[in-house]
Amino acid sequence: MEESTDIGGASGDEQDYVAIEHGEVVGGTVVADLDGNQGDAGEDVEEYEGDMDMMMDNGYVDDSIHAFQGHSEAVYAVAWSRVSPDTVASGGGDDVGFIWRVGEDAFMENQGDVFELKGHKDTITSMDFNHDGSLLASGAMDGCVKIWDVKHGNCLHTLDGPSESVEWVQWHPRGSIVLAGSSDFTAWMWSAQNGEFMMTFSGHAGSVTCGSFTPDGKLVVTGGGEGDASLRVWDPKSGQAITCVEGAHFHATGLTCMGIHPNGQTALSGAEAGTVKLVSLEGGKVLGSLDKHADGTSIESIIYLADNSLAASAGMDGNVVVWDMATLSVRVECQHPDGVTKVLAHPSNHMIVSSCLDGIVRCWDARSGSCVYEFRGHTDPIQNMALSPDGNQILTGGEDCVCRVFDLRSPPL
């Protein structure tokens, strides 16, 4: 059985785990020096401090309260535990994942103890914690999904099935069942308790680029990418498609993302050509077209806001559009200087958070469209983002190989 590498002070190995608290380097990625030479870790930290000093001299601004430097390639997947205020995960182009903890309190408690998750043979594309935070699922371009024990970092199961890259992974909202979509035109479902295959969902004519359980966990919804452009609703017990939405009134290009209303009755979907559609999951009827994004620019993210009266879509046109769902009209637009990779909604107010290819995280008032805060620190595009359970902290992963945490309670001046 594959296991993670515990790279922290508890093991007694030399630390090279780099974290930053309020601009100060407080630790460094762990290396085990078999020759007993402990100079390398110190040299790495000194090199990092030197790079930081040089960037500060050049006007570099770092608004993050914590930075994780464990990855050697771009970070494409980040996740925050649904129940733990300081437990997060990240995965990237180095084929490696990490489970780590955020903040000074966590660092003082475990001295930067980190689980390095090894076993994937290609880029990790997606990560998700289960409902109680005890398990983590990771999906990768090697076609495998792995289930990890969060407490100990062990790989419990390797879930095989897809013949090509895993596009996304997601847990059942209450059970230990994991769902994944693949570029081999299929979606898969497994039991995380025993690692056994449960169901394949076949019918798309393109990559299954997005998908989810409905909020009540009773149905599976998937979206097909290039060459397919359909949204399908499945019975998870039989694997049969209940509803298929496609054709002239739906998207003309492949789907890229979706957001399901908390009542499970409708879904918003975004596509490669910049179109957004509202559909009924029960009857498959297209209820409306939400037209504002620039033609030919991909929609990257769609979410419902806390009270569900508003929704937001983010695109490569640099626009986050907030929609009034009662009228399907534009409430406000939040313009960015470059493409937007993700938008998230605060769980208890009208704030939305966006990540951008310019490396900046922005917080917006969804009612007025005003930009409340800008958080800087990444030196390359941000590829993914997650919120803490209380919505007060933002986790990002970037092409600069760094994960950063920004705190809404300590906004930049």
Side-chain angles (χ1 to χ4, degrees):
M1 181 175 64
E2 293 168 286
E3 295 187 355
S4 66
T5 302
D6 183 359
I7 53 173
S11 67
D13 295 332
E14 181 71 19
Q15 288 185 11
D16 183 29
Y17 163 76
V18 177
I20 298 177
E21 300 293 348
H22 306 293
E24 297 296 327
V25 176
V26 295
T29 324
V30 176
V31 292
D33 193 330
L34 299 179
D35 294 329
N37 182 359
Q38 301 186 6
D40 292 343
E43 291 173 5
D44 289 343
V45 173
E46 289 177 5
E47 180 179 353
Y48 179 78
E49 290 175 323
D51 291 342
M52 288 296 296
D53 290 342
M54 183 178 298
M55 288 192 290
M56 293 296 182
D57 291 341
N58 292 330
Y60 170 78
V61 176
D62 182 9
D63 297 315
S64 65
I65 64 164
H66 190 124
F68 177 70
Q69 297 274 339
H71 291 280
S72 60
E73 299 289 342
V75 180
Y76 297 109
V78 296
W80 205 306
S81 170
R82 290 173 169 82
V83 295
S84 172
D86 61 12
T87 302
V88 300
S90 57
D94 51 8
D95 312 345
V96 177
F98 293 93
I99 297 173
W100 45 286
R101 294 177 62 190
V102 171
E104 187 172 356
D105 290 344
F107 185 84
M108 295 301 293
E109 181 181 323
N110 66 7
Q111 297 301 303
D113 210 10
V114 177
F115 291 125
E116 184 177 10
L117 313 179
K118 293 183 177 180
H120 282 295
K121 297 179 175 59
D122 209 332
T123 298
I124 296 175
T125 57
S126 181
M127 290 179 136
D128 192 29
F129 287 94
N130 71 339
H131 69 286
D132 64 7
S134 63
L135 300 175
L136 173 74
S138 61
M141 294 179 68
D142 59 7
C144 291
V145 172
K146 291 183 180 292
I147 306 298
W148 307 89
D149 175 3
V150 173
K151 185 176 181 179
H152 302 101
N154 298 330
C155 180
L156 301 177
H157 304 290
T158 296
L159 310 177
D160 297 314
S163 60
E164 296 182 26
S165 173
V166 173
E167 299 276 336
W168 51 268
V169 294
Q170 191 188 71
W171 288 93
H172 187 278
R174 290 177 298 279
S176 56
I177 297 172
V178 67
L179 182 69
S182 173
S183 56
D184 68 359
F185 305 179
T186 61
W188 295 72
M189 189 171 70
W190 302 268
S191 167
Q193 288 184 329
N194 53 25
E196 291 186 0
F197 159 79
M198 295 180 67
M199 190 60 64
T200 304
F201 305 97
S202 301
H204 285 289
S207 296
V208 183
T209 52
C210 52
S212 174
F213 287 100
T214 51
D216 61 8
K218 295 181 179 180
L219 298 173
V220 169
V221 185
T222 58
E226 183 178 358
D228 182 84
S230 73
L231 182 146
R232 297 171 188 260
V233 182
W234 308 85
D235 179 349
K237 294 181 180 179
S238 67
Q240 297 301 306
I242 301 170
T243 303
C244 179
V245 188
E246 60 184 343
H249 297 291
F250 198 49
H251 298 287
T253 58
L255 276 65
T256 53
C257 58
M258 69 168 63
I260 300 177
H261 192 282
N263 66 17
Q265 297 178 5
T266 59
L268 285 165
S269 58
E272 297 169 352
T275 52
V276 178
K277 303 286 184 179
L278 176 67
V279 301
S280 167
L281 295 181
E282 182 177 353
K285 183 180 179 181
V286 178
L287 302 176
S289 296
L290 289 68
D291 301 321
K292 192 60 182 180
H293 288 280
D295 291 342
T297 55
S298 172
I299 306 298
E300 296 296 307
S301 183
I302 291 181
I303 47 97
Y304 282 91
L305 273 65
D307 66 359
N308 304 318
S309 66
L310 302 175
S313 56
M316 282 293 106
D317 59 355
N319 199 5
V320 171
V321 181
V322 178
W323 305 93
D324 184 325
M325 296 309 296
T327 61
L328 301 187
S329 60
V330 176
R331 176 68 176 265
V332 295
E333 296 180 63
C334 307
Q335 296 286 350
H336 299 66
D338 211 333
V340 182
T341 56
K342 196 157 189 176
V343 61
L344 297 172
H346 192 281
S348 60
N349 61 38
H350 284 90
M351 182 176 289
I352 58 175
V353 182
S354 61
S355 57
C356 186
L357 293 179
D358 67 358
I360 299 175
V361 174
R362 294 175 173 86
C363 301
W364 308 81
D365 185 329
R367 297 165 298 184
S368 66
S370 60
C371 184
V372 182
Y373 307 124
E374 289 187 349
F375 291 96
R376 302 170 187 269
H378 284 284
T379 57
D380 283 308
I382 300 170
Q383 287 295 333
N384 210 333
M385 181 173 60
L387 286 181
S388 60
D390 62 6
N392 287 328
Q393 294 183 316
I394 308 161
L395 169 66
T396 56
E399 290 186 13
D400 54 5
C401 313
V402 181
C403 297
R404 293 189 179 276
V405 178
F406 304 95
D407 197 318
L408 291 172
R409 296 162 299 186
S410 303
L413 300 177

